């Protein structure tokens, strides 16, 4: 010492660590209504804003456009139309997914917004915008009040 | 405000409400693993610790010696490259007797975190570390302390290469 | 400066609770909606939106500004999120003021939200990452260390006792008993209760600390010429200030918050305040820990160094004292959903200066108030001064 920093450039190191973030989210009053309808009755509910003439899915507490509280709950789906779809070949760590996973934006019948979910039971070549699909619910005893109570969407009919 | 509004929004839940499923909830864990580049100044600091030396850095323009070392002076913005070894002896600037861990678990024997002003630095220029080898009641601000190092072969270039600081014996 | 004058014209808040059922954006919507309703505006009147929130890790939502945007009325609007740690709530004063004073917007909605209960099991762990990952985190620090170390240094430097400091917790928790949104209001709490509470990190004990909380607060700010049409009692932004000290927290004077003084001087100069002790009539300094209120009063030049405890002991800072401090009940009493708690202080000034604070109303007719917050790694000071007089 004193040290010449340039002599040590090859020795530069990284320090390894993580951010220990663990979360528990409540679903909120609108979420209670939406998720319990899926869990208990395999129904998908939206909320309608009369002023803006929009039906939001999942149902929300308020309209983001006019700020009104939304109290008009309405059932949508379970059928809908693919608005967009992608074929996922890599998982979060970059490993190959075999077979690839289809993820889609589904506009449920009666809704103005789209729902992001898995698409299964269809060849990749047939997974196209405009495809008619329907929600495939898990069995009652397997449903927990989660978005995965819908296991996936599949071709309608 | 207060006079006109009868009730305020916001619904308080108890832990039980959630645990017993009175309301729905979802658990998740963020995956956030990092390799933080130490950079030049802290890289040298870690090298120094491995060698049993606490390295500071002097700003030639401000005539100020600080620790941990840094690549530039945040006061005058000049580069800082005059790395200097400091004594591993200093003064307790402040301390705490802490009875909870970082994740809020209670412990019986307190941890004694402290800010220590090392000899040769330009105060305020302390570092945070732990005190040890001392009865908690005896710790006081102004106490002289010395670093207790891990054995050389166990050191890995980390702030924990110093196990803790302990009171300096007189004489 | 050729800036427009800016006023606060409306405010709203949710209750502060340990665990809210509502999602963060639902809390934000409740507060935002109440703020707009309070001054008879709708989203159509809002030109831009200013959001403040603390680390994304609390709510467990990445890009929290974007996440909160719909609940903050930002659909289809220019929106900006600011974040200076715990200082953010009061930083929303300058943040919103800038948006309007600049001439860019006539009316802005300013929203702060925090849902700390989403961090499970305990939000304390989220603070681990504020310490330097390489030189400090291996020592497994917890957030209490910083406060305990600073409090001890403050006590030692000026010969202040824990009993002196505990009076602040008592005052604020008692004040909070009159706040309809408060989480820890206790009309009968005593200094002994504080001194006998569980020791967490000596000298910090359980009742020296504000609680982990969920909640949201919103205010509406409007330009001169517009504000007077919205309300006949606009409360004007007279001064704003903010300042940062070094990010090396162990390289600072822990007994005195220099950065708070710098922020305060900036705001006083803008407000034309020359004698703050006479000209500030109600104060809402940041009080996440009881000693911090004292620390900050000194940094704000509202008390001599080391003498803020005497003001507390003499009742000067009581709600009916000569200089009421935290008449809301502060973070110690109302609760501490970080950013929302800071903006709550600005909202409290709005209500106090309009004479609308109900049971919390300070006596007389206060004309000027100051809110201050602090945060990041203990080195940011943010100040907002509101007053009934339109700045000249």
């Amino acid at each position: 010492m004193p040290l010449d920093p340039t002599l040590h450039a090859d020795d530069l190191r990284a320090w390894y660590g993580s951010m220990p973030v663990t979360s528990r989210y409540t679903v909120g009053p609108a979420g209670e209504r939406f998720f319990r309808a899926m869990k208990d009755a395999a129904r998908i509910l939206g909320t309608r804003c009369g002023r803006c003439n929009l039906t939001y899915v999942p149902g929300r507490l308020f309209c983001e456009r006019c700020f009104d509280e939304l109290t008009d709950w309405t059932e949508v789906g379970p059928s809908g139309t693919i608005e967009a779809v992608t074929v996922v070949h890599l998982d979060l760590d970059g490993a190959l997914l075999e077979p690839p996973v289809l993820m889609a934006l589904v506009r449920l019948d009666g809704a103005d917004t789209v729902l992001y979910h898995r698409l299964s039971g269809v060849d990749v070549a047939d997974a196209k915008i405009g495809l008619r699909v329907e929600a495939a619910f898990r069995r009652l005893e397997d449903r927990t009040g989660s978005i995965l109570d819908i296991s996936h969407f599949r071709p309608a009919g | 405000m207060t006079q006109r509004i009868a009730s305020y929004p916001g619904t308080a839940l108890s832990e039980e409400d959630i645990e017993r499923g009175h309301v729905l909830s979802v658990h998740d864990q963020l995956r956030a693993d990092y390799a933080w580049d130490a950079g030049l100044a802290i890289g040298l600091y870690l090298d120094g610790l491995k060698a049993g030396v606490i390295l500071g850095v002097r700003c030639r323009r401000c005539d100020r010696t600080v620790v941990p070392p840094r690549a530039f002076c945040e006061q005058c913005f000049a580069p800082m490259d005059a790395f200097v070894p400091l004594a591993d002896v200093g003064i307790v600037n402040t301390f705490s007797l802490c009875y909870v861990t970082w994740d809020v678990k209670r412990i019986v024997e307190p941890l004694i975190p402290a800010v220590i002003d090392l000899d040769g630095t330009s105060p305020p220029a302390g570092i945070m570390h732990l005190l040890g080898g001392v009865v908690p009641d005896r710790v006081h601000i102004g106490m002289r302390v010395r670093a207790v190092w891990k054995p050389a072969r166990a050191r890995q270039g980390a702030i924990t290469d110093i196990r803790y600081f302990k009171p300096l014996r007189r004489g | 400066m050729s800036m427009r004058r800016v006023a606060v014209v409306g405010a709203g808040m949710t209750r502060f609770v340990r665990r809210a059922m509502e999602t963060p954006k639902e809390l934000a919507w409740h507060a935002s909606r109440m703020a707009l309703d309070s001054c008879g505006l709708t989203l159509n009147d809002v030109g831009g939106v200013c959001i403040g929130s603390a680390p994304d890790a609390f709510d467990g939502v990445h890009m929290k500004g974007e996440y909160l945007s719909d609940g903050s009325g930002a659909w289809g609007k220019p929106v900006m999120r600011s974040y200076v740690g715990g200082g953010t709530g009061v930083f929303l004063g300058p943040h919103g003021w800038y948006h309007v004073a600049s001439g860019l917007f006539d009316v802005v909605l300013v929203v702060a939200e925090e849902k700390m209960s989403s961090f499970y099991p305990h939000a304390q762990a989220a603070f681990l990452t504020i310490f330097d990952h390489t030189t400090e985190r291996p020592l497994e620090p917890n957030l209490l260390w910083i406060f305990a170390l600073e409090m001890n240094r403050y006590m030692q430097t000026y010969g202040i006792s824990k009993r002196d400091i505990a009076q602040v917790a008592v005052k604020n928790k008692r004040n909070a008993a009159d706040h309809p949104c408060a989480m820890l209001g206790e009309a009968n709490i005593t200094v002994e209760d504080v001194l006998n509470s569980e020791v967490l990190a000596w000298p910090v004990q359980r009742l020296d600390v504000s609680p982990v909380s969920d909640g949201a607060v919103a205010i509406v700010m409007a330009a001169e010429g517009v504000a007077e049409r919205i309300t006949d009692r606009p409360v004007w932004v007279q001064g704003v200030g903010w300042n940062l000290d070094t990010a090396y927290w162990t390289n600072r004077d822990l007994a005195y918050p220099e950065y708070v003084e710098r922020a305060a001087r900036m705001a006083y100069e803008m407000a034309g305040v020359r004698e703050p002790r006479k000209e500030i009539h109600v104060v809402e300094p940041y009080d996440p820990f009881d000693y911090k209120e004292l620390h900050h009063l000194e940094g704000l030049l509202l008390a001599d160094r080391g003498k803020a405890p005497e003001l507390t002991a003499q009742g000067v800072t009581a709600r009916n004292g000569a200089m009421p401090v935290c008449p809301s009940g502060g973070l110690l009493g109302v609760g501490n959903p970080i950013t929302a708690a800071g903006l709550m202080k600005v909202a409290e000034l709005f209500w106090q200066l309009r004479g609308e604070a109900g049971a919390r109303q300070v006596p007389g007719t206060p004309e000027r108030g100051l809110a201050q917050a602090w945060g990041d790694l203990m080195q940011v000071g943010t100040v907002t001064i509101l007053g009934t007089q339109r700045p000249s």
Side-chain angles (χ1 to χ4, degrees), chain C residues 102-164:
Chain C
S102 62
L104 280 174
F105 304 100
D106 284 343
V107 176
V108 293
L109 181 57
V110 179
V111 186
E113 187 279 342
E114 224 73 66
K115 188 169 181 186
M116 299 172 75
S117 68
S118 295
F119 202 108
Y120 180 82
H122 201 288
Q124 175 79 238
F127 290 106
L128 184 61
T129 50
I130 73 174
F131 292 94
D132 185 90
H133 44 67
T134 305
T135 61
E136 295 179 333
R137 264 190 66 190
L139 299 167
E140 300 190 336
N142 80 47
L143 185 71
L144 288 168
W145 288 14
I146 283 190
F147 294 99
L149 293 165
E150 192 178 72
M151 180 171 168
N152 193 12
R153 184 72 197 175
Y154 176 60
M155 289 166 61
Q156 170 85 14
T157 301
Y158 301 114
I160 294 164
S161 72
K162 286 199 23 91
R163 182 171 289 274
D164 295 334

Side-chain angles (χ1 to χ4, degrees), chain C residues 209-272:
Chain C
V209 192
S210 59
V212 168
S213 321
D214 297 349
V217 177
I219 62 174
V220 181
M221 296 172 102
E224 59 180 316
V226 177
E228 300 91 331
R229 293 205 300 273
I230 296 171
T231 174
D232 53 7
R233 280 178 302 156
V235 173
W236 297 94
V237 179
Q238 297 183 339
V240 295
W242 64 101
N243 199 282
L244 267 172
D245 202 334
T246 175
Y248 296 88
W249 70 274
T250 54
N251 290 186
R252 287 201 298 271
D253 178 355
L254 296 176
Y256 185 73
E258 192 72 40
Y259 46 94
V260 172
E261 180 181 328
R262 290 192 184 139
R265 285 189 185 279
M266 177 178 166
Y268 289 146
E269 183 175 336
M270 180 176 160

Side-chain angles (χ1 to χ4, degrees), chain C residues 189-208:
Chain C
I189 192 170
T190 66
V191 167
E192 299 307 321
D193 292 335
V194 179
L195 295 177
N196 292 330
S197 64
E198 177 189 16
V199 178
L200 300 174
W202 186 91
V204 172
Q205 293 176 246
R206 174 71 68 188
L207 293 180
D208 293 313

Side-chain angles (χ1 to χ4, degrees), chain C residues 8 41 63 69 73 112 115 147 157 183 251 259 265 281 326 367 377:
Chain C
V8 181
L41 297 186
M63 300 196 296
S69 61
K115 188 169 181 186
F147 294 99
T157 301
M183 184 173 154
N251 290 186
Y259 46 94
R265 285 189 185 279
H281 304 146
C326 288
E367 292 177 0
L377 194 52

Side-chain angles (χ1 to χ4, degrees), chain A residues 15 18-30 32 61-62 64-69, chain C residues 20-21 23 26 29 32-33 43 59-60 70-71 73 75 115 118-120 129 133-134 137-138:
Chain A
W15 186 265
S18 65
M19 294 176 76
V21 177
T22 49
S23 303
R24 183 179 68 182
Y25 308 98
T26 59
V27 301
E32 287 288 332
L61 182 64
F62 60 91
E64 66 182 0
R65 302 193 178 194
C66 71
F67 246 30
D68 270 359
E69 181 164 3
Chain C
M21 178 191 190
T23 61
E26 289 170 347
W29 171 74
S32 302
R33 186 63 206 261
L43 267 193
D59 293 51
D70 55 337
W75 179 77
K115 188 169 181 186
S118 295
F119 202 108
Y120 180 82
T129 50
H133 44 67
T134 305
R137 264 190 66 190

Side-chain angles (χ1 to χ4, degrees), chain A residues 95-146:
Chain A
L96 200 62
L97 284 168
E98 192 59 56
V101 174
L102 294 167
M103 296 301 300
L105 298 179
V106 180
R107 188 188 303 275
L108 290 160
D109 295 345
D112 289 296
T113 60
V114 293
L115 195 68
Y116 173 66
H117 218 296
R118 295 173 185 152
L119 178 61
S120 292
V122 57
D123 289 339
V124 167
D126 296 329
K128 294 208 164 85
I129 292 171
L131 181 72
R132 292 287 295 163
V133 294
E134 64 183 11
F137 279 89
R138 291 178 197 273
R139 293 177 307 174
L140 177 63
E141 58 270 32
D142 295 333
R143 296 202 294 262
T144 60
S146 136

